[in-house]
Amino acid sequence: MNEFVIPAIRDTASGTVDRVFPLERAERLKNEFARVFSHHLGCLESGSRFETESILVTGQSGSGKTKEIEELLKRFNASNIPLPTGQPARFAECILTGTQGWKDLGRNSMWAIGFPLDGKARLTQVEIWERVVTEAKLAGVVGIHYDEAQHIFRKKNDTDRLAILDSFKTLMKSHDWPLILIFSGVPELDGYLREEPQLYRLINRIKFNDISLPDDFDTVHEIVSSYALTSRLELDDKISTEDFYHRLVAAGAFRWGLIIKLTIGAIGMARVRNTGTLHVDHFIDAWVSKTQTNSAATPFTHSRFETIYRKDHPFVEALTG
């Protein structure tokens, strides 16, 4: 046995990493994506020039945006929908960072499509985006998902932000091969995209809302139960209570993605201890392991959990001493 491998943790990760709980928002996202793509496909089949639509998905960090979109695009790419060019349609994915300008954006878009651009190539903005469009058409790429898109706009001056926005607009309005864009990020991203009215009018917006209690108690219970069942664990009676689920939601800052991660962490602890049952103590252990908080001051144990763990600061207590 290798000293650096904990089999129970490894097996828990292996059994849950690809799992996506079917929240209502996933259906909304799929329906909107299907509508946008169907319109896009019809326009391609007509042979006429058109400008395509795009989708903006916003939500707090840890809300699960990336996971939902990745799962959607994975299914889309596997469906092999035929394009008028004879190729199967596919979507590319690109993560943005704050150090990128429009040239980096172009190069990273090329990498996402599958055609790396030489970093020494001296191309104008127009030439880079023409290359992106050409290679996308050759590869059957109908769109690109730009994840964490707010980062590319932060700390940029007006000129640089508008150059990036103009680049996105160019892709959507290409006469030869317009590309559907999916932008995902935190709520501030909406404000950046509004700065380019011609781009913004082509964007359809989907917001991933936080957990709302008491309305979502049943869904939280279903998440914990289903992940435990997948890992062949029973639920202790103390878990199946509104008090516990309220504490779990507070611990996850009311964000769906974070409560799922906390649940997976607790399941890992339960499997390490080989208990066969998921207990509140396993959530406490997972929290302490992550935050190094005293076990008496976790969201699962402290009487003032609602005030010391705030929605705007996941995993950071507001205790002052």
Side-chain angles (χ1 to χ4, degrees), residues 129-173:
W129 294 115
E130 284 180 348
R131 184 75 64 84
V132 170
V133 167
T134 298
E135 298 296 351
K137 184 176 183 180
L138 290 172
V141 172
V142 295
I144 303 174
H145 168 214
Y146 290 106
D147 194 21
E148 301 292 350
Q150 72 278 355
H151 291 312
I152 199 170
F153 295 108
R154 287 176 178 167
K155 298 181 180 180
K156 297 285 196 305
N157 59 38
D158 291 349
T159 300
D160 290 341
R161 286 202 310 276
L162 289 174
I164 292 167
L165 289 166
D166 187 63
S167 298
F168 288 138
K169 182 176 68 175
T170 297
L171 292 180
M172 293 174 62
K173 289 175 167 284

